Amino acid sequence: MSQSDEHPVLDQELLQWISREYYEMNGSHIEILDAPPTPIEFSRLIHISRPVVIKGLQIPASARWTNDYLVKKMGEHSISVAFTPNGLADAVTRDSDGKLYFTEPYTSQMTMQEFFDQLMKNPILYLQSQNGNLYSSAFYEQDGRDSSEFQSLRADVPSKHPDAVNLWIGDERSTTSIHSDPYENIYTVVQGSKHFTLLPPADGWCLQERNYPHATYTPSPLDSNLVLTPSSSKTPYVRWSSIADPHLPEALPPEVHPLSITLEAGDTLYLPVGWWHHVRQSGDITVAVNWWYDAEVQGSTWVWLNMLRARDVPLGNTGEDS
Amino acid sequence: MSQSDEHPVLDQELLQWISREYYEMNGSHIEILDAPPTPIEFSRLIHISRPVVIKGLQIPASARWTNDYLVKKMGEHSISVAFTPNGLADAVTRDSDGKLYFTEPYTSQMTMQEFFDQLMKNPILYLQSQNGNLYSSAFYEQDGRDSSEFQSLRADVPSKHPDAVNLWIGDERSTTSIHSDPYENIYTVVQGSKHFTLLPPADGWCLQERNYPHATYTPSPLDSNLVLTPSSSKTPYVRWSSIADPHLPEALPPEVHPLSITLEAGDTLYLPVGWWHHVRQSGDITVAVNWWYDAEVQGSTWVWLNMLRARDVPLGNTGEDS
């Protein structure tokens, strides 16, 4: 049968067994390093592939970046900013009819000054253009000739051949829904606090991934309120967790053990490939930078991660979801 | 059900899918390094967990060990030697009634001179006492105060906190049946050639592990021929592969892709934790040393290895095996 060739049978009992075994071997301890690891220590951390908080990683941005500095450095450069009515960019959201969509934010251009002026007001703005808004892999492949909206901030963020480097600025109303990335991730908070809720790849089965139709927020021509606007029916469905808030009681089954980590300014998180993360922030304005690195493709890491997600994903919006 | 708590359901389709995915990601390439890796390069090799042949790893033994040197250094020290009628120590073997046993060799003590005099004659001798015959972890835990039959050869074999270091000497009639170890393994050939046939942990399902009753070869009091002697019924059964020779046509299913590696004198193999290996040797006398290191227990490596072997193992000696 061709379908089962693509999606092997991982029954619920096996998935629960994997979660239990993983927890028995690893517990829910989070290592905190008082200083950045040496390259060989870091290599071992990648092999273990568990989150680690690293203190004392100094980058020029940590010392230099104030709101005034960012405004001055960026000047009249135009930057892409995400707009949502609810702080949920890239999240499963209900439209006025109660139907669920994977909804992307409205994106608009402005200066850094305009962005800071508008923050803390409505709608909710989040600088989260990601996919390498500071550096992308093209920077390294084309001898530095890629463009970035944040070119003038690059000197403050050193980087060694990452796949992408991203800048994130927002207020505490913006949250990031739980998801996992196919990258090794180094995440540094420059200002404010970030609150991560993490689950290992082994626990991903409990997040009830579903296929959701795609939508985007667009400003209404009448009052410029942001309206959830379904995309064309040709837009591919998006596989996403149905767990909107993993902190709600009974959102997660008892087999899984989420880790909670708060990063203050100056703290860095090593977030290993495939780990599920939900992110909140606090403090007036939170500024963070992250580096994504390609994960090791040789060996069994990808087989393990693919196996844990190998299943037929049902459509969202069924009776049980709505 | 308590049984399924211990042994999750990994159906054949899932196991075949894992083998195919692993092969698609990794192929059957074996990396050959012209020089020993740096510590950080080696750390990456451990993370990838695929076999690597390393050229140019020099240990004093490589230059010093001739048969005469070993005889002279060992003098009258007594060493433990394995005796079998067929070269199969620690292997599934049929007794005269056709019943299958996991059979251990007869072990006897002699000097190194006596061992070399007897090699190439009958019965088949193999110096393979393993479990740390050169160094065991006790050496490090007790400030070097553990005993070894090969104390006088230690200066020729440097070691950095391994779990065990073993010396192996035999002729081409001795083979090692296919099995896996819970250790990272560094294996150096000092004299002769070793031929490894390897399968990744993902392919272990095809080796048809069964539980076999235990037996030992003992010399007959009449003619001192070695006789397969079943152990007491209280001796635990031994879980072992039913594939006596993975090189026979149709011994393995088409989904799996064994790697073949020949190590000549001076070559070293990094054999990662959990990899299945069958070992033959050629040349009059083959001398090898290996270092076993504890594998990383944090992370998902053990969960992955445990999952791949998590099944109810039937008894051997059933109609289908005999």
Side-chain angles (χ1 to χ4, degrees), chain A residues 30-318:
Chain A
I30 299 171
E31 195 174 358
I32 298 174
L33 299 180
D34 289 333
T38 63
I40 198 156
E41 286 166 348
F42 190 55
S43 176
R44 186 171 171 226
L45 296 179
I46 291 170
H47 183 44
I48 293 172
S49 204
R50 286 186 59 78
V52 176
V53 176
I54 300 164
K55 304 275 186 184
L57 181 73
Q58 301 282 353
I59 60 171
S62 317
R64 294 177 190 162
W65 285 5
T66 59
N67 300 356
D68 287 347
Y69 176 94
L70 292 171
V71 165
K72 195 172 158 211
K73 271 280 181 185
M74 291 295 299
E76 293 306 307
H77 282 293
S78 181
I79 62 175
S80 302
V81 174
F83 288 63
T84 61
N86 50 14
L88 294 168
D90 309 324
V92 172
T93 313
R94 209 173 285 280
D95 76 355
S96 53
D97 296 336
K99 194 174 171 193
L100 294 166
Y101 291 87
F102 175 81
T103 310
E104 294 199 54
Y106 176 66
T107 303
S108 185
Q109 306 290 122
M110 60 186 69
T111 65
M112 188 65 91
Q113 180 69 64
E114 288 164 340
F115 171 62
F116 277 120
D117 289 346
Q118 182 64 30
L119 261 182
M120 322 290 283
K121 297 182 186 160
N122 284 320
I124 300 174
L125 272 58
Y126 194 20
L127 195 170
Q128 57 127 38
S129 45
Q130 55 189 294
N131 301 325
N133 62 15
L134 266 165
Y135 297 89
S136 74
S137 55
F139 178 79
Y140 301 96
E141 285 153 15
Q142 298 162 16
D143 283 336
R145 290 195 306 276
D146 78 323
S147 59
S148 159
E149 290 179 348
F150 302 98
Q151 205 120 11
S152 56
L153 298 177
R154 278 182 173 164
D156 301 334
V157 181
S159 74
K160 271 190 166 174
H161 285 75
D163 198 72
V165 186
N166 302 301
L167 171 63
W168 311 79
I169 306 180
D171 64 42
E172 62 191 9
R173 296 172 301 167
S174 284
T175 62
T176 303
S177 62
I178 194 158
H179 70 287
S180 65
D181 297 308
Y183 297 107
E184 305 285 0
N185 195 346
I186 308 286
Y187 199 106
T188 288
V189 175
V190 176
Q191 183 178 326
S193 310
K194 286 266 184 181
H195 311 281
F196 286 81
T197 303
L198 306 175
L199 283 173
D203 290 350
W205 57 271
C206 74
L207 295 174
Q208 301 177 43
E209 288 182 278
R210 298 282 181 272
N211 282 314
Y212 290 100
H214 186 271
T216 309
Y217 284 115
T218 50
S220 152
L222 291 174
D223 55 10
S224 24
N225 275 347
L226 292 170
V227 180
L228 189 156
T229 309
S231 305
S232 134
S233 61
K234 288 178 190 157
T235 308
Y237 276 46
V238 178
R239 179 178 170 155
W240 209 256
S241 169
S242 301
I243 305 298
D245 186 347
H247 311 94
L248 293 178
E250 306 189 22
L252 300 177
E255 285 89 349
V256 306
H257 301 85
L259 306 179
S260 293
I261 298 175
T262 290
L263 299 183
E264 307 293 352
D267 292 346
T268 299
L269 175 65
Y270 163 53
L271 180 60
V273 57
W275 275 69
W276 297 88
H277 48 294
H278 179 277
V279 193
R280 292 171 296 181
Q281 42 205 336
S282 60
D284 280 351
I285 295 177
T286 300
V287 179
V289 169
N290 90 292
W291 295 258
W292 272 331
Y293 288 87
D294 282 333
E296 178 60 65
V297 293
Q298 293 178 82
S300 56
T301 304
W302 280 110
V303 183
W304 169 248
L305 295 176
N306 286 345
M307 183 195 75
L308 291 169
R309 296 187 72 198
R311 64 180 72 96
D312 289 317
V313 175
L315 290 184
N317 285 314
T318 61

Side-chain angles (χ1 to χ4, degrees), chain B residues 89-157:
Chain B
D90 309 324
V92 173
T93 313
R94 209 173 284 281
D95 77 354
S96 54
D97 295 337
K99 195 174 171 193
L100 293 166
Y101 291 87
F102 175 81
T103 310
E104 294 200 54
Y106 176 66
T107 303
S108 184
Q109 306 291 123
M110 61 186 69
T111 64
M112 188 65 91
Q113 179 70 64
E114 288 164 340
F115 172 61
F116 278 120
D117 290 344
Q118 182 64 30
L119 261 182
M120 324 287 283
K121 298 181 186 162
N122 284 318
I124 300 171
L125 271 59
Y126 194 19
L127 196 170
Q128 58 126 37
S129 45
Q130 53 190 298
N131 300 325
N133 62 15
L134 267 166
Y135 297 88
S136 74
S137 55
F139 178 78
Y140 302 96
E141 286 153 15
Q142 299 163 17
D143 284 336
R145 288 195 308 276
D146 78 324
S147 59
S148 157
E149 290 177 349
F150 301 97
Q151 204 118 12
S152 54
L153 299 178
R154 278 182 173 163
D156 302 333
V157 182

